[in-house]
Amino acid sequence: MADNQLAEGDHGDEGAYTVRPYAVTGGRIETEGLEVETLVSTLDAGRSATGLTPEKKKILELAGENYISIAELSAHCKLPLGVIRVLVRDLSDAEYLEIQANSTAQPDGEKESGGLTLSLLESVLDGIAAL
Amino acid sequence: MASQPSSETTAPTVVKIVVAGGFAVGKTTFIGSISDIDPLNTEAAMTEHSVGVDDAGGVTDRKTHTTVAMDFGRIALPGSLWLYLFGTPGQDRFLFMWDDLVRGAIGAVVLVDTERLDQCFPAIDYFEGRGIPFVVAVNCFDGVAHHKLEDVREALGISEGIPIMYTDARERTATKQALISVVQLAMERIKS
């Protein structure tokens, strides 16, 4: 994996970026497929991965504790959503990280509205009511 | 060897509800009143995409680099369900960003401040235009309702089918009720 040179610098403070945000992605942008709420989790290979940029290390660390969303990664890493999307895609391609199927993409026999089934909504309703 | 819980359990099912409304209407407070985690803040770096999206009227020399902050929270529900609440970026010139947020959402809560009614118009137009289930929650900042709900409904020009209610963004029971209304509305839409 060819990580951009600019991303290799010592970032010192946790999360704070000292280079242009998209330098850590090698200037690439990615908007498809990864929703703000899409969950990811670190795979075994990701736990022992070496030679990664601080940003990628941080992502694997966070996603190694529990499932975590793109939005949460963005908040914890203090990087824009778009940057996180690219880095997550990279880590997924390297099989360090698993992208979970989005709830809206789950096939279900029931009548659906954007992937949201009646039974799913019923569970959500009961869950909120019980809070 | 360290345990690897995340590779051995099933991922939670994720759903989301969008919390919209004007700037400083209480979206973050609303989310914080019910979220399991302290509301987090993420940013989307905006570039030239913002050109041409203009609800403010006439301003065309848009900054080419700006940052939009977005607050969100998360609630774990029984049955391995995670409900995310996403607050929309406050200013209506970022409406185009909402497409990202509302994709796959159950629906939306539009928070309304009756002192600044016009601030919620873009949100209402947006959700109406896209057929996204939404409820209107009138935030009573001091716990006092200053306007009758039917008057607010008329002022906003929303149809009878749109639920409208008082809320108090600080109160968990009130925000809970608003969320329940959105889910119920979404269910009615599916059934009909």
Side-chain angles (χ1 to χ4, degrees):
Chain A
M1 200 183 333
D3 284 313
N4 190 289
Q5 287 298 309
L6 279 171
E8 303 291 348
D10 181 11
H11 286 230
D13 291 344
E14 248 194 10
Y17 51 78
T18 53
V19 293
R20 289 184 180 275
Y22 282 83
V24 303
T25 73
R28 287 165 301 136
I29 55 166
E30 151 102 35
T31 52
E32 297 286 311
L34 293 167
E35 307 295 340
V36 282
E37 74 278 15
T38 298
L39 299 179
V40 300
S41 59
T42 301
L43 295 168
D44 287 348
R47 293 173 194 277
S48 49
T50 53
L52 296 174
T53 60
E55 293 80 10
K56 287 182 177 173
K57 253 190 258 173
K58 175 101 178 172
I59 289 173
L60 291 177
E61 213 178 281
L62 290 165
E65 290 163 19
N66 199 354
Y67 293 101
I68 192 165
S69 65
I70 299 292
E72 280 161 293
L73 286 174
S74 166
H76 291 305
C77 295
K78 296 185 174 63
L79 286 169
L81 289 166
V83 173
I84 294 294
R85 284 176 167 134
V86 175
L87 298 178
V88 160
R89 183 65 74 192
D90 273 357
L91 290 168
S92 164
D93 288 348
E95 295 183 358
Y96 289 156
L97 187 112
E98 189 177 23
I99 298 168
Q100 304 298 329
N102 203 292
S103 65
T104 56
Q106 282 180 350
D108 196 317
E110 280 189 72
K111 190 177 176 183
E112 58 180 1
S113 153
L116 293 165
T117 61
L118 208 48
S119 65
L120 176 58
L121 291 177
E122 264 161 18
S123 306
V124 175
L125 186 68
D126 293 346
I128 298 173
L131 285 174
Chain B
M1 191 167 167
S3 64
Q4 293 153 8
S6 58
S7 57
E8 288 167 6
T9 56
T10 328
T13 301
V14 179
V15 289
K16 65 179 168 181
I17 291 175
V18 173
V19 182
F23 182 69
V25 72
K27 294 186 293 269
T28 309
T29 311
F30 182 98
I31 292 168
S33 72
I34 200 159
S35 175
D36 290 339
I37 55 173
D38 284 337
L40 291 168
N41 185 275
T42 183
E43 51 184 50
M46 291 294 115
T47 53
E48 55 278 16
H49 293 299
S50 57
V51 172
V53 180
D54 184 16
D55 295 294
V59 188
T60 51
D61 56 337
R62 187 81 52 231
K63 274 185 186 173
T64 49
H65 292 280
T66 183
T67 304
V68 186
M70 176 185 92
D71 291 321
F72 65 97
R74 191 188 72 205
I75 309 162
L77 301 175
S80 192
L81 270 176
W82 282 6
L83 169 62
Y84 278 94
L85 300 179
F86 285 102
T88 56
Q91 295 136 298
D92 34 321
R93 66 194 175 103
F94 300 126
L95 269 178
F96 67 98
M97 226 194 106
W98 294 18
D99 293 346
D100 229 17
L101 288 184
V102 302
R103 201 181 306 119
I106 293 174
V109 176
V110 177
L111 277 179
V112 173
D113 175 358
T114 52
E115 300 302 308
R116 296 174 299 161
L117 213 53
D118 58 321
Q119 289 224 357
C120 71
F121 291 163
I124 287 175
D125 287 346
Y126 181 92
F127 296 124
E128 261 181 359
R130 285 164 181 76
I132 292 159
F134 72 98
V135 302
V136 173
V138 178
N139 196 11
C140 303
F141 286 94
D142 43 11
V144 181
H146 293 283
H147 298 84
K148 286 185 188 159
L149 288 179
E150 283 318 301
D151 292 345
V152 179
R153 179 188 293 282
E154 203 186 320
L156 294 177
I158 52 169
S159 67
E160 290 296 319
I162 308 295
I164 182 167
M165 69 206 71
Y166 294 116
T167 196
D168 184 335
R170 300 162 301 183
E171 287 293 330
R172 186 183 170 90
T173 47
T175 52
K176 201 173 117 175
Q177 195 49 54
L179 296 178
I180 286 173
S181 298
V182 181
V183 181
Q184 284 173 333
L185 185 63
M187 289 170 74
E188 283 167 26
R189 293 269 182 97
I190 291 180
K191 285 178 191 162
S192 64

PDB file of all heavy atoms in Angstrom, chain A residues 94-123:
ATOM      1  N   ALA A  94      -7.092  -3.753   2.206  1.00  0.00           N
ATOM      2  CA  ALA A  94      -5.926  -4.474   2.726  1.00  0.00           C
ATOM      3  C   ALA A  94      -6.346  -5.616   3.657  1.00  0.00           C
ATOM      4  O   ALA A  94      -5.502  -6.306   4.212  1.00  0.00           O
ATOM      5  CB  ALA A  94      -5.012  -3.502   3.463  1.00  0.00           C
ATOM      6  N   GLU A  95      -7.644  -5.760   3.834  1.00  0.00           N
ATOM      7  CA  GLU A  95      -8.220  -6.784   4.724  1.00  0.00           C
ATOM      8  C   GLU A  95      -7.768  -6.636   6.168  1.00  0.00           C
ATOM      9  O   GLU A  95      -7.603  -7.614   6.896  1.00  0.00           O
ATOM     10  CB  GLU A  95      -7.926  -8.191   4.167  1.00  0.00           C
ATOM     11  CG  GLU A  95      -8.628  -8.398   2.838  1.00  0.00           C
ATOM     12  CD  GLU A  95      -8.442  -9.789   2.248  1.00  0.00           C
ATOM     13  OE1 GLU A  95      -7.732 -10.607   2.859  1.00  0.00           O
ATOM     14  OE2 GLU A  95      -9.014 -10.041   1.180  1.00  0.00           O
ATOM     15  N   TYR A  96      -7.591  -5.405   6.564  1.00  0.00           N
ATOM     16  CA  TYR A  96      -7.279  -5.095   7.961  1.00  0.00           C
ATOM     17  C   TYR A  96      -8.564  -4.768   8.726  1.00  0.00           C
ATOM     18  O   TYR A  96      -8.592  -4.755   9.943  1.00  0.00           O
ATOM     19  CB  TYR A  96      -6.349  -3.884   8.047  1.00  0.00           C
ATOM     20  CG  TYR A  96      -4.929  -4.145   7.586  1.00  0.00           C
ATOM     21  CD1 TYR A  96      -4.121  -3.103   7.126  1.00  0.00           C
ATOM     22  CD2 TYR A  96      -4.389  -5.430   7.632  1.00  0.00           C
ATOM     23  CE1 TYR A  96      -2.823  -3.335   6.708  1.00  0.00           C
ATOM     24  CE2 TYR A  96      -3.090  -5.667   7.216  1.00  0.00           C
ATOM     25  CZ  TYR A  96      -2.317  -4.622   6.750  1.00  0.00           C
ATOM     26  OH  TYR A  96      -1.031  -4.850   6.349  1.00  0.00           O
ATOM     27  N   LEU A  97      -9.582  -4.451   7.957  1.00  0.00           N
ATOM     28  CA  LEU A  97     -10.794  -3.910   8.558  1.00  0.00           C
ATOM     29  C   LEU A  97     -12.001  -4.432   7.790  1.00  0.00           C
ATOM     30  O   LEU A  97     -11.938  -4.601   6.574  1.00  0.00           O
ATOM     31  CB  LEU A  97     -10.719  -2.378   8.430  1.00  0.00           C
ATOM     32  CG  LEU A  97     -11.758  -1.543   9.103  1.00  0.00           C
ATOM     33  CD1 LEU A  97     -11.068  -0.777  10.227  1.00  0.00           C
ATOM     34  CD2 LEU A  97     -12.328  -0.546   8.122  1.00  0.00           C
ATOM     35  N   GLU A  98     -13.065  -4.665   8.526  1.00  0.00           N
ATOM     36  CA  GLU A  98     -14.276  -5.150   7.876  1.00  0.00           C
ATOM     37  C   GLU A  98     -15.350  -4.066   7.907  1.00  0.00           C
ATOM     38  O   GLU A  98     -15.611  -3.479   8.954  1.00  0.00           O
ATOM     39  CB  GLU A  98     -14.781  -6.407   8.588  1.00  0.00           C
ATOM     40  CG  GLU A  98     -15.911  -7.086   7.854  1.00  0.00           C
ATOM     41  CD  GLU A  98     -16.355  -8.376   8.530  1.00  0.00           C
ATOM     42  OE1 GLU A  98     -16.118  -8.519   9.747  1.00  0.00           O
ATOM     43  OE2 GLU A  98     -16.937  -9.219   7.858  1.00  0.00           O
ATOM     44  N   ILE A  99     -15.945  -3.833   6.739  1.00  0.00           N
ATOM     45  CA  ILE A  99     -17.049  -2.882   6.657  1.00  0.00           C
ATOM     46  C   ILE A  99     -18.335  -3.677   6.796  1.00  0.00           C
ATOM     47  O   ILE A  99     -18.587  -4.612   6.027  1.00  0.00           O
ATOM     48  CB  ILE A  99     -17.020  -2.120   5.314  1.00  0.00           C
ATOM     49  CG1 ILE A  99     -15.723  -1.301   5.202  1.00  0.00           C
ATOM     50  CG2 ILE A  99     -18.245  -1.228   5.181  1.00  0.00           C
ATOM     51  CD1 ILE A  99     -15.461  -0.757   3.799  1.00  0.00           C
ATOM     52  N   GLN A 100     -19.131  -3.340   7.784  1.00  0.00           N
ATOM     53  CA  GLN A 100     -20.378  -4.082   8.018  1.00  0.00           C
ATOM     54  C   GLN A 100     -21.446  -3.643   7.028  1.00  0.00           C
ATOM     55  O   GLN A 100     -21.535  -2.477   6.694  1.00  0.00           O
ATOM     56  CB  GLN A 100     -20.868  -3.854   9.456  1.00  0.00           C
ATOM     57  CG  GLN A 100     -19.841  -4.223  10.513  1.00  0.00           C
ATOM     58  CD  GLN A 100     -19.471  -5.700  10.469  1.00  0.00           C
ATOM     59  OE1 GLN A 100     -20.288  -6.546  10.112  1.00  0.00           O
ATOM     60  NE2 GLN A 100     -18.241  -6.013  10.832  1.00  0.00           N
ATOM     61  N   ALA A 101     -22.263  -4.616   6.631  1.00  0.00           N
ATOM     62  CA  ALA A 101     -23.364  -4.291   5.727  1.00  0.00           C
ATOM     63  C   ALA A 101     -24.288  -3.296   6.410  1.00  0.00           C
ATOM     64  O   ALA A 101     -24.597  -3.433   7.582  1.00  0.00           O
ATOM     65  CB  ALA A 101     -24.122  -5.550   5.351  1.00  0.00           C
ATOM     66  N   ASN A 102     -24.675  -2.300   5.679  1.00  0.00           N
ATOM     67  CA  ASN A 102     -25.558  -1.290   6.240  1.00  0.00           C
ATOM     68  C   ASN A 102     -26.942  -1.868   6.476  1.00  0.00           C
ATOM     69  O   ASN A 102     -27.400  -2.715   5.735  1.00  0.00           O
ATOM     70  CB  ASN A 102     -25.639  -0.133   5.255  1.00  0.00           C
ATOM     71  CG  ASN A 102     -26.048   1.137   5.931  1.00  0.00           C
ATOM     72  OD1 ASN A 102     -27.172   1.243   6.380  1.00  0.00           O
ATOM     73  ND2 ASN A 102     -25.143   2.070   6.025  1.00  0.00           N
ATOM     74  N   SER A 103     -27.603  -1.387   7.495  1.00  0.00           N
ATOM     75  CA  SER A 103     -28.951  -1.879   7.790  1.00  0.00           C
ATOM     76  C   SER A 103     -29.893  -1.654   6.606  1.00  0.00           C
ATOM     77  O   SER A 103     -30.759  -2.465   6.331  1.00  0.00           O
ATOM     78  CB  SER A 103     -29.507  -1.185   9.020  1.00  0.00           C
ATOM     79  OG  SER A 103     -29.685   0.181   8.762  1.00  0.00           O
ATOM     80  N   THR A 104     -29.695  -0.558   5.891  1.00  0.00           N
ATOM     81  CA  THR A 104     -30.599  -0.252   4.791  1.00  0.00           C
ATOM     82  C   THR A 104     -30.367  -1.172   3.605  1.00  0.00           C
ATOM     83  O   THR A 104     -31.166  -1.229   2.688  1.00  0.00           O
ATOM     84  CB  THR A 104     -30.409   1.206   4.318  1.00  0.00           C
ATOM     85  OG1 THR A 104     -29.044   1.388   3.967  1.00  0.00           O
ATOM     86  CG2 THR A 104     -30.795   2.187   5.387  1.00  0.00           C
ATOM     87  N   ALA A 105     -29.250  -1.875   3.631  1.00  0.00           N
ATOM     88  CA  ALA A 105     -28.938  -2.764   2.515  1.00  0.00           C
ATOM     89  C   ALA A 105     -29.347  -4.201   2.816  1.00  0.00           C
ATOM     90  O   ALA A 105     -29.165  -5.081   1.990  1.00  0.00           O
ATOM     91  CB  ALA A 105     -27.444  -2.710   2.214  1.00  0.00           C
ATOM     92  N   GLN A 106     -29.866  -4.421   4.002  1.00  0.00           N
ATOM     93  CA  GLN A 106     -30.212  -5.784   4.383  1.00  0.00           C
ATOM     94  C   GLN A 106     -31.454  -6.267   3.657  1.00  0.00           C
ATOM     95  O   GLN A 106     -32.508  -5.654   3.750  1.00  0.00           O
ATOM     96  CB  GLN A 106     -30.448  -5.871   5.893  1.00  0.00           C
ATOM     97  CG  GLN A 106     -29.147  -5.896   6.667  1.00  0.00           C
ATOM     98  CD  GLN A 106     -29.385  -5.977   8.154  1.00  0.00           C
ATOM     99  OE1 GLN A 106     -30.508  -5.823   8.605  1.00  0.00           O
ATOM    100  NE2 GLN A 106     -28.327  -6.221   8.888  1.00  0.00           N
ATOM    101  N   PRO A 107     -31.319  -7.367   2.959  1.00  0.00           N
ATOM    102  CA  PRO A 107     -32.479  -7.895   2.278  1.00  0.00           C
ATOM    103  C   PRO A 107     -33.452  -8.493   3.293  1.00  0.00           C
ATOM    104  O   PRO A 107     -33.038  -9.086   4.276  1.00  0.00           O
ATOM    105  CB  PRO A 107     -31.896  -8.989   1.385  1.00  0.00           C
ATOM    106  CG  PRO A 107     -30.624  -9.385   2.007  1.00  0.00           C
ATOM    107  CD  PRO A 107     -30.137  -8.233   2.825  1.00  0.00           C
ATOM    108  N   ASP A 108     -34.706  -8.284   3.054  1.00  0.00           N
ATOM    109  CA  ASP A 108     -35.720  -8.811   3.963  1.00  0.00           C
ATOM    110  C   ASP A 108     -36.993  -8.984   3.162  1.00  0.00           C
ATOM    111  O   ASP A 108     -37.303  -8.177   2.303  1.00  0.00           O
ATOM    112  CB  ASP A 108     -35.945  -7.829   5.111  1.00  0.00           C
ATOM    113  CG  ASP A 108     -36.675  -8.488   6.277  1.00  0.00           C
ATOM    114  OD1 ASP A 108     -37.636  -9.226   6.014  1.00  0.00           O
ATOM    115  OD2 ASP A 108     -36.274  -8.259   7.418  1.00  0.00           O
ATOM    116  N   GLY A 109     -37.691 -10.037   3.464  1.00  0.00           N
ATOM    117  CA  GLY A 109     -38.896 -10.351   2.707  1.00  0.00           C
ATOM    118  C   GLY A 109     -40.013  -9.331   2.860  1.00  0.00           C
ATOM    119  O   GLY A 109     -40.875  -9.212   2.000  1.00  0.00           O
ATOM    120  N   GLU A 110     -39.973  -8.573   3.958  1.00  0.00           N
ATOM    121  CA  GLU A 110     -41.099  -7.686   4.227  1.00  0.00           C
ATOM    122  C   GLU A 110     -41.152  -6.479   3.298  1.00  0.00           C
ATOM    123  O   GLU A 110     -40.170  -6.117   2.676  1.00  0.00           O
ATOM    124  CB  GLU A 110     -41.020  -7.188   5.667  1.00  0.00           C
ATOM    125  CG  GLU A 110     -41.540  -8.199   6.663  1.00  0.00           C
ATOM    126  CD  GLU A 110     -41.639  -7.587   8.051  1.00  0.00           C
ATOM    127  OE1 GLU A 110     -42.546  -6.764   8.236  1.00  0.00           O
ATOM    128  OE2 GLU A 110     -40.825  -7.934   8.904  1.00  0.00           O
ATOM    129  N   LYS A 111     -42.315  -5.884   3.298  1.00  0.00           N
ATOM    130  CA  LYS A 111     -42.494  -4.658   2.527  1.00  0.00           C
ATOM    131  C   LYS A 111     -41.512  -3.630   3.084  1.00  0.00           C
ATOM    132  O   LYS A 111     -41.421  -3.411   4.278  1.00  0.00           O
ATOM    133  CB  LYS A 111     -43.926  -4.144   2.725  1.00  0.00           C
ATOM    134  CG  LYS A 111     -44.300  -3.016   1.780  1.00  0.00           C
ATOM    135  CD  LYS A 111     -45.756  -2.639   2.001  1.00  0.00           C
ATOM    136  CE  LYS A 111     -46.137  -1.439   1.145  1.00  0.00           C
ATOM    137  NZ  LYS A 111     -47.524  -1.014   1.405  1.00  0.00           N
ATOM    138  N   GLU A 112     -40.774  -3.031   2.196  1.00  0.00           N
ATOM    139  CA  GLU A 112     -39.721  -2.170   2.721  1.00  0.00           C
ATOM    140  C   GLU A 112     -39.762  -0.755   2.167  1.00  0.00           C
ATOM    141  O   GLU A 112     -40.339  -0.481   1.128  1.00  0.00           O
ATOM    142  CB  GLU A 112     -38.351  -2.788   2.458  1.00  0.00           C
ATOM    143  CG  GLU A 112     -38.087  -3.049   0.989  1.00  0.00           C
ATOM    144  CD  GLU A 112     -36.711  -3.668   0.776  1.00  0.00           C
ATOM    145  OE1 GLU A 112     -36.017  -3.892   1.762  1.00  0.00           O
ATOM    146  OE2 GLU A 112     -36.359  -3.884  -0.375  1.00  0.00           O
ATOM    147  N   SER A 113     -39.137   0.099   2.908  1.00  0.00           N
ATOM    148  CA  SER A 113     -39.011   1.481   2.487  1.00  0.00           C
ATOM    149  C   SER A 113     -37.563   1.865   2.715  1.00  0.00           C
ATOM    150  O   SER A 113     -37.147   2.113   3.830  1.00  0.00           O
ATOM    151  CB  SER A 113     -39.957   2.353   3.315  1.00  0.00           C
ATOM    152  OG  SER A 113     -39.474   3.658   3.403  1.00  0.00           O
ATOM    153  N   GLY A 114     -36.780   1.841   1.681  1.00  0.00           N
ATOM    154  CA  GLY A 114     -35.361   2.133   1.797  1.00  0.00           C
ATOM    155  C   GLY A 114     -34.641   1.163   2.703  1.00  0.00           C
ATOM    156  O   GLY A 114     -33.720   1.525   3.404  1.00  0.00           O
ATOM    157  N   GLY A 115     -35.086  -0.102   2.718  1.00  0.00           N
ATOM    158  CA  GLY A 115     -34.417  -1.099   3.537  1.00  0.00           C
ATOM    159  C   GLY A 115     -34.954  -1.173   4.959  1.00  0.00           C
ATOM    160  O   GLY A 115     -34.601  -2.064   5.715  1.00  0.00           O
ATOM    161  N   LEU A 116     -35.792  -0.229   5.323  1.00  0.00           N
ATOM    162  CA  LEU A 116     -36.354  -0.232   6.670  1.00  0.00           C
ATOM    163  C   LEU A 116     -37.639  -1.056   6.657  1.00  0.00           C
ATOM    164  O   LEU A 116     -38.624  -0.665   6.052  1.00  0.00           O
ATOM    165  CB  LEU A 116     -36.653   1.201   7.121  1.00  0.00           C
ATOM    166  CG  LEU A 116     -35.445   2.102   7.327  1.00  0.00           C
ATOM    167  CD1 LEU A 116     -35.876   3.550   7.416  1.00  0.00           C
ATOM    168  CD2 LEU A 116     -34.684   1.697   8.574  1.00  0.00           C
ATOM    169  N   THR A 117     -37.605  -2.179   7.323  1.00  0.00           N
ATOM    170  CA  THR A 117     -38.785  -3.028   7.346  1.00  0.00           C
ATOM    171  C   THR A 117     -39.659  -2.674   8.542  1.00  0.00           C
ATOM    172  O   THR A 117     -39.194  -2.056   9.503  1.00  0.00           O
ATOM    173  CB  THR A 117     -38.396  -4.502   7.462  1.00  0.00           C
ATOM    174  OG1 THR A 117     -37.693  -4.686   8.689  1.00  0.00           O
ATOM    175  CG2 THR A 117     -37.501  -4.936   6.307  1.00  0.00           C
ATOM    176  N   LEU A 118     -40.900  -3.109   8.443  1.00  0.00           N
ATOM    177  CA  LEU A 118     -41.849  -2.855   9.526  1.00  0.00           C
ATOM    178  C   LEU A 118     -41.373  -3.506  10.823  1.00  0.00           C
ATOM    179  O   LEU A 118     -41.459  -2.909  11.900  1.00  0.00           O
ATOM    180  CB  LEU A 118     -43.221  -3.407   9.105  1.00  0.00           C
ATOM    181  CG  LEU A 118     -44.450  -2.726   9.690  1.00  0.00           C
ATOM    182  CD1 LEU A 118     -44.374  -1.217   9.579  1.00  0.00           C
ATOM    183  CD2 LEU A 118     -45.703  -3.255   9.001  1.00  0.00           C
ATOM    184  N   SER A 119     -40.835  -4.710  10.702  1.00  0.00           N
ATOM    185  CA  SER A 119     -40.406  -5.396  11.930  1.00  0.00           C
ATOM    186  C   SER A 119     -39.203  -4.702  12.567  1.00  0.00           C
ATOM    187  O   SER A 119     -39.093  -4.627  13.789  1.00  0.00           O
ATOM    188  CB  SER A 119     -40.099  -6.871  11.642  1.00  0.00           C
ATOM    189  OG  SER A 119     -39.002  -6.983  10.770  1.00  0.00           O
ATOM    190  N   LEU A 120     -38.333  -4.170  11.731  1.00  0.00           N
ATOM    191  CA  LEU A 120     -37.184  -3.428  12.267  1.00  0.00           C
ATOM    192  C   LEU A 120     -37.669  -2.174  12.994  1.00  0.00           C
ATOM    193  O   LEU A 120     -37.238  -1.868  14.107  1.00  0.00           O
ATOM    194  CB  LEU A 120     -36.220  -3.048  11.125  1.00  0.00           C
ATOM    195  CG  LEU A 120     -35.015  -2.179  11.492  1.00  0.00           C
ATOM    196  CD1 LEU A 120     -34.148  -2.839  12.555  1.00  0.00           C
ATOM    197  CD2 LEU A 120     -34.171  -1.872  10.260  1.00  0.00           C
ATOM    198  N   LEU A 121     -38.621  -1.474  12.352  1.00  0.00           N
ATOM    199  CA  LEU A 121     -39.150  -0.252  12.967  1.00  0.00           C
ATOM    200  C   LEU A 121     -39.881  -0.566  14.265  1.00  0.00           C
ATOM    201  O   LEU A 121     -39.820   0.203  15.228  1.00  0.00           O
ATOM    202  CB  LEU A 121     -40.070   0.488  11.986  1.00  0.00           C
ATOM    203  CG  LEU A 121     -39.373   1.114  10.773  1.00  0.00           C
ATOM    204  CD1 LEU A 121     -40.387   1.761   9.845  1.00  0.00           C
ATOM    205  CD2 LEU A 121     -38.338   2.139  11.215  1.00  0.00           C
ATOM    206  N   GLU A 122     -40.571  -1.703  14.287  1.00  0.00           N
ATOM    207  CA  GLU A 122     -41.258  -2.103  15.523  1.00  0.00           C
ATOM    208  C   GLU A 122     -40.246  -2.295  16.657  1.00  0.00           C
ATOM    209  O   GLU A 122     -40.491  -1.871  17.788  1.00  0.00           O
ATOM    210  CB  GLU A 122     -42.041  -3.404  15.298  1.00  0.00           C
ATOM    211  CG  GLU A 122     -43.495  -3.154  14.958  1.00  0.00           C
ATOM    212  CD  GLU A 122     -44.166  -4.337  14.286  1.00  0.00           C
ATOM    213  OE1 GLU A 122     -43.625  -5.469  14.369  1.00  0.00           O
ATOM    214  OE2 GLU A 122     -45.217  -4.133  13.652  1.00  0.00           O
ATOM    215  N   SER A 123     -39.127  -2.926  16.337  1.00  0.00           N
ATOM    216  CA  SER A 123     -38.090  -3.129  17.355  1.00  0.00           C
ATOM    217  C   SER A 123     -37.528  -1.800  17.833  1.00  0.00           C
ATOM    218  O   SER A 123     -37.255  -1.620  19.017  1.00  0.00           O
ATOM    219  CB  SER A 123     -36.947  -3.972  16.795  1.00  0.00           C
ATOM    220  OG  SER A 123     -37.421  -5.170  16.259  1.00  0.00           O
TER     221      SER A 123
END
